Amino acid sequence: MLSLGNSEGTSGKDVSGEIIIVKSMEEYDKLSTDQVKDKIVFFNYPFSQSFVETFRGYSDAAKYRVTAASLTAKKGGKFAIVRSLSSAFDDVPHTGGMRYEDKILKIPAIAIGSTTADELEALLKMQKVTAKLNSNCGMKGEKLSHSVIGEITGKKDQSVIVVGGHLDSWDVGEGAHDDGAGIVQSIEVLRTFKKLGLKNNHIIRVVCFANEENGVKGGIQYGKTAKEKNEKHLFAIESDAGGFAPRGIALEMDEEKRKQIKSWTGLFLPYGVYNFEGKYSGTDIYPLHDMGVPTAELVPDSQRYFDIHHTEEDTFEKVNRRELLLGATTMTQIIYMIDKNW
Ligand SMILES: [Zn+2]
């Protein structure tokens, strides 16, 4: 098992009880307080394999990870077990952010791998099962941290184009795809401009955002600072979906700008980049988007990302150098075009 991000532990004490299983929110809602009291609730909602884009399967199942603890606490349960948000058929548990509701007792929430979840469900059909949890995890308060920023000045004006990813990762694994890849690709954009001697019109700024995973703190602070300094941002793009072969760029902006970028499709096709239909952008640049800045996100192939996302398996050797660089190339291409045309 693996504790979820933000979860409290058991302060070194054993907490045990009988496990009850639910397969959906609807099923849980039907349970009375009496049925849940002093139990351990196992939310076994499977990651849907039917979406071609795996991010949709992730969004579909995410509410279980985020809300299981407080839902269980409200009905007097002892702790919550959640089936990992995983597209893999293995036994690796996936962590990730969860949230406690205000004024609700903070009980632990843990994730288990897919095969353990299946086995536990099969066992529960035959007999009563009890579980014992002893965990020393917990939130120890906040510490100051920093986003890391580098830029090359523009020859025309002071307006800014941002390219970024997030520096932090969950404590298991190395965070190689989430989001080491995005950091390397963003730095690579600047390096390419310098190496090729491209003279950019606007400031091109790499932002390695601090603490995306637990509250988007770096992204929110960046937005605030940009506002305070009255900096004009032309465009921001993030890479935070894994370092896999790029397939497209999601565009969150007005129709006119979308149309213009889509008219450049021919420049991207040689890299296998064809999908400009997504209308969302990265978490860290949301504060910029809310200030009216046109934003975008690199869209890599998503088939393997949720096999390893937020696990000890998200390691350096899982990143393919060629795929990683194609993503950097794609971001460099769009930034070059926007720098020339906006
Ligand atoms: Zn990420």
Side-chain angles (χ1 to χ4, degrees):
M1 52 72 76
L2 194 54
S3 285
L4 294 180
N6 258 331
S7 176
E8 293 299 325
T10 65
S11 312
K13 292 189 203 95
D14 288 352
V15 172
S16 46
E18 186 190 332
I19 300 177
I20 54 171
I21 179 173
V22 291
K23 300 290 296 276
S24 66
M25 281 302 172
E26 295 69 36
E27 230 178 86
Y28 182 73
D29 290 343
K30 283 183 194 145
L31 294 180
S32 67
T33 305
D34 277 352
Q35 286 169 301
V36 177
K37 194 169 172 11
D38 292 332
K39 300 286 197 308
I40 290 152
V41 182
F42 169 33
F43 292 85
N44 194 20
Y45 183 81
F47 187 101
S48 172
Q49 299 286 350
S50 59
F51 298 112
V52 173
E53 283 186 16
T54 60
F55 276 86
R56 294 181 63 188
Y58 181 69
S59 311
D60 173 60
K63 61 175 181 270
Y64 291 89
R65 186 186 77 200
V66 175
T67 64
S70 287
L71 289 176
T72 302
K74 278 187 202 167
K75 292 185 182 179
K78 285 185 171 169
F79 64 90
I81 302 175
V82 181
R83 183 191 183 99
S84 288
L85 305 185
S86 173
S87 50
F89 296 89
D90 62 18
D91 206 25
V92 179
H94 297 227
T95 189
M98 55 82 71
R99 267 196 305 272
Y100 287 115
E101 277 182 47
D102 281 349
K103 297 183 188 126
I104 302 294
L105 185 68
K106 294 182 174 182
I107 62 168
I110 62 159
I112 55 174
S114 306
T115 51
T116 292
D118 289 339
E119 284 168 19
L120 185 53
E121 180 176 340
L123 199 59
L124 282 161
K125 282 189 180 130
M126 297 186 288
Q127 62 181 83
K128 277 191 178 182
V129 182
T130 58
K132 181 166 78 183
L133 176 67
N134 188 320
S135 154
N136 60 2
C137 79
M139 292 297 282
K140 303 274 194 274
E142 298 195 340
K143 290 272 184 198
L144 182 65
S145 184
H146 299 276
S147 297
V148 177
I149 297 174
E151 64 184 32
I152 41 180
T153 47
K155 65 177 188 285
K156 195 171 125 196
D157 63 31
Q158 297 293 309
S159 55
V160 183
I161 293 173
V162 163
V163 54
H166 63 86
L167 269 181
D168 60 310
S169 69
W170 289 103
D171 50 352
V172 285
E174 296 162 3
H177 276 288
D178 185 15
D179 186 20
I183 292 291
V184 168
Q185 287 172 326
S186 300
I187 294 170
E188 191 63 15
V189 170
L190 272 203
R191 198 191 66 84
T192 306
F193 267 82
K194 289 193 79 166
K195 177 92 190 287
L196 299 181
L198 301 173
K199 295 276 175 272
N200 44 300
N201 288 324
H202 314 284
I203 294 171
I204 300 178
R205 179 181 292 167
V206 175
V207 186
C208 305
F209 292 97
N211 191 9
E212 182 267 354
E213 298 285 7
N214 210 359
V216 202
K217 298 286 171 69
I220 291 168
Q221 186 59 47
Y222 183 87
K224 254 192 205 165
T225 308
K227 217 182 249 172
E228 278 164 19
K229 290 188 170 172
N230 211 6
E231 284 183 329
K232 186 184 179 220
H233 281 70
L234 267 191
F235 175 67
I237 183 168
E238 181 160 8
S239 167
D240 183 18
F244 302 101
R247 299 283 187 242
I249 301 171
L251 306 168
E252 202 167 8
M253 56 191 67
D254 66 48
E255 233 8 79
E256 204 180 310
K257 290 202 160 64
R258 284 175 63 83
K259 249 191 173 157
Q260 187 189 19
I261 291 175
K262 284 165 107 171
S263 75
W264 304 331
T265 303
L267 297 170
F268 294 93
L269 288 176
Y271 313 131
V273 172
Y274 59 87
N275 178 6
F276 295 86
E277 296 309 314
K279 292 185 175 176
Y280 50 88
S281 51
T283 316
D284 289 300
I285 55 177
Y286 241 89
L288 287 175
H289 178 78
D290 287 346
M291 289 158 57
V293 178
T295 50
E297 184 166 42
L298 185 68
V299 180
D301 184 287
S302 73
Q303 301 314 314
R304 287 164 289 160
Y305 190 51
F306 291 104
D307 287 0
I308 58 165
H309 181 249
H310 297 176
T311 75
E312 62 185 17
E313 306 263 297
D314 185 3
T315 50
F316 188 74
E317 72 279 5
K318 303 275 178 13
V319 181
N320 175 282
R321 189 172 189 274
R322 292 179 58 85
E323 292 185 54
L324 184 78
L325 291 179
L326 277 173
T329 304
T330 302
M331 292 208 293
T332 309
Q333 177 78 76
I334 191 170
I335 287 172
Y336 177 85
M337 291 302 287
I338 285 173
D339 181 65
K340 288 279 166 288
N341 292 284
W342 287 13

